[in-house]
Each structure stands twice: as structure tokens, then as C-alpha cells.
Amino acid sequence: MLNRFFVFIFIMTLILVSEFIVYSLDKVKDEKRLSLVVAELNKVMGAIFNGALISSEVLKEMIEVSDESNLTVREFDRIAKALLKDYEFVDSILLLPNGVASYAYPYADNIKAIGHDVLSDQNRKLGSLEVILNKEVTIIGPVQLVQNDKQAFIVRRTIRNGNEFWGLTSSVVYLESILSNIDDVLRLYGINDYDLSGYNPDSKVPYDKIISSRGIIAGDKLSDTVSVFNTKWELTISKGKSEIYIKIFVFISLLVLFLVIFTPSFRYFKKYKGSEREKLILENEAYTDYLTGLANRRGFEHRISHLDNSVTNGSVAIFDIDFFKRVNDTYGHDVGDGVLVGFANLCKMHISDSFVLSRSGGEEFILLMPLTSIEDATIQCELLKTMISKELFIVNALELTLTMSVGVAYFHDTCEMKTALTLADKALYKAKQQGRDRVCVS
């Protein structure tokens, strides 16, 4: 009787352990799949909204360099028409002096928006003020447009006349024009039940923020963040469930393992896992810069050697903080180290998750941008350079401003990486020779 009881307990334990193993495997599989989906959505959405980002930057620059910070309607229409032609996902462009929509292209499609004051509209006010206060471009949406009631994303950027607020730019991307791209990515990874929510600080209703929703999310849920430049979206999917035959297979495998080799294998496994953990710790220390937490030069080369086979080309940039030695000589190495950490953290916050940022030594950093054209890489580096120059670094109660010089080069294959780094280094030298605080392309 006692033996039967122990057999029953043993079998029930194996069933519970089998359920736990299957659940854990499913979770790991789903998390990996979700991670791949998010990475692909980051890439696809980044490409889609890149045109809107560039459009807003072009308008901002045109206003800032124009006489009395103003544009004629003809000049605005000419610029906007060219931008819409170059960037297929940008559906409309508006200019809002003092927050009031005064210029719009195409005019006929946006005539109802003319005169709309976003700083007074309770459905637009918070999002607009956030852009003004943070001095960052922000993708707000989905929102319902006043001009045609369509659901769309509004890419806003602040324009300033010196230190004074001049107005806002709005690049509009219709929701309907990007839904197929989102669905294609999720179907590619076999995800049929999901919710994707956007960002709109003016709405407290979760339903209003839904970008796309398919199927029914039941049971356990998994969520992750899709990063579209500095704007965060949330993707939620259902956790998958394994078939019964997988559970049976795991149960039988555990039973055989216990009856045949469980005890000696367990001792060996513990010893092996301990050595593997130590190996991983040592490798991590060897590949990581102790100060910034970024990959060091060895870690950078390690990442290159383990790039996916699909990465056949891309761009690489070398950064150098201008006059960094002056910081060390004037304030000491503790302040210099603080500046390096702040610089590294700021750069990490504003680059794509698919990029690899490393510190190659001293004040020099390397940014690997897989599958990125030299034009897009130059734009990314220009934006990063501008952001760094506008940032105030506070270290030990000291307030410091920095600039950086950048050299950019392109590679057609990862085997050309050494040559690309040499060209980027030459471009960096050229940037320094031309006065620093600039991006040069080799």
C-alpha cells in the first residue's frame, strides 16, 4: 500500500514537472518570437516614419533660415510637394505658427484644418505641449483628424526663433496606409491574435490608442515595446499552448531520465552549468567596457562575427567627443568619466535596438548600423550630433556642453568591415580638420 502511494506521488510529481517544463518552453519560445516581431516592427515602422521625420526637419530648417522666420504659401507648397513625392507614406504636411494651422499641403484635403489651434484644442493640447517642452520630435496617434475624420499619426516637431517658440510642424501618416505593413509582419511570425497600441497623451481611453487589433487575446498575455524613434508603442499577444503529444513526450523523457541516468547526470549537470556560468561571466567582462557598459572593441568585433547571415551591408560611424582632453585637464578624470557615461547613455537612448554601439577607447565610439544606407546613416548621425550639442551634461554639480565629430562609411559586406572602419576613421579626421562638430562621409 505504501509503495503504491509513493508511486502515485512520483507520477503526480512528474506530471507537474512536465507541465512546468512545457509551460517554460512555451514561454521562452513565445518571448523569442515576440522579440523577433518587435525587432521587425521597429525596422518596418522606422522606415515608414523616417520620411515624416525628415519632412518635419526640412520644414524646421527652412523656417529657421528664411527671412524673418517665415515662408510664403508658394514656397511652402513647393517644398511640401517635393517631400510628399519623395516619401510615399507621408500623406499631408502642415505648418502651425504659434500652434495654429496656417499652411497645409495638399490644401484641398486639409482646408478644414486651417485656423485650428492645437494649443487650445483639448484633444491636441497635451501632446503639443509635450513636444514643445521636450524639444523632441514625437509621433502622436492614432488620432482622428479634424480635416477629414481619418485616423492618422501626427509627427510633430517644435520650431524656435532663437530661444522663443515659433510654432510646430505636422507630418501626417494615415493609419490605413500602414496597417497592411503591420499585419504582414505579424502574419509572417504566425501571430493572429494581437493588440498594438500607439501613443496619445491627450486620451485616457485605451481603446482610442489601438492601432491594430486582431482576433481574441485569451489566457496568458505577453507584451513588449515597439520603438518608433523616441515614441513607444505596446504590442500584446496571447501565449501559445503546446499540443498534448508534446506534454506526453516530456513526461516520458523525464521518466526515462529518472530511471536510467538521473542521479549521476544531475551531479554532472550542476558542475557543467557552474563552469558555463563562469565562462559567460568571463566572456561578458572581456567584451564589455567597464565604464560605460557598452561593448568594447573586442566585443564589437565579436558582435560583427555573429551577425545574422541576412546582414550583407550597412554603415559604420566613428564618434569622437571634441576637446575631451580639455575636460580631463580642467576638471579631472572623475568628471571626464562621468561625461563619458552620460554621453554613452544618451546615445544608447536615441539609436535603434538593431544598431551596435561600442566604446573603442578613450573618447572614441563606434556605431554599427546594419542594413542602413549611407544616406540614412548620415541622417542618423546628424540627428545624434545635434542632440548631443543641445544636451546639458551635469557631473559633480558642473554643467557642461559637448560637441562631437563623426566619420561615416559604408560596407557592402561584413568582410569589408576593416576597410569601412579605416574609411570612417579618415572621415572623422576630416571632420576634425574642418572645425569639428560635424559629420563627414567617406
Side-chain angles (χ1 to χ4, degrees), residues 149-207:
D149 293 330
K150 286 188 176 182
Q151 293 291 308
F153 298 91
I154 300 176
V155 182
R156 290 208 191 283
R157 184 185 291 275
T158 303
I159 302 176
R160 295 185 178 277
N161 185 359
N163 293 323
E164 298 296 324
F165 172 69
W166 184 92
L168 299 165
T169 66
S170 290
S171 297
V172 178
V173 176
Y174 289 152
L175 173 61
E176 62 187 13
S177 66
I178 70 169
L179 281 178
S180 61
N181 300 84
I182 295 171
D183 290 339
D184 288 346
V185 171
L186 290 155
R187 278 199 299 267
L188 178 65
Y189 289 91
I191 296 177
N192 299 310
D193 304 321
Y194 67 88
D195 286 335
L196 179 62
S197 299
Y199 176 71
N200 182 3
D202 289 289
S203 176
K204 303 301 181 184
V205 182
Y207 180 79

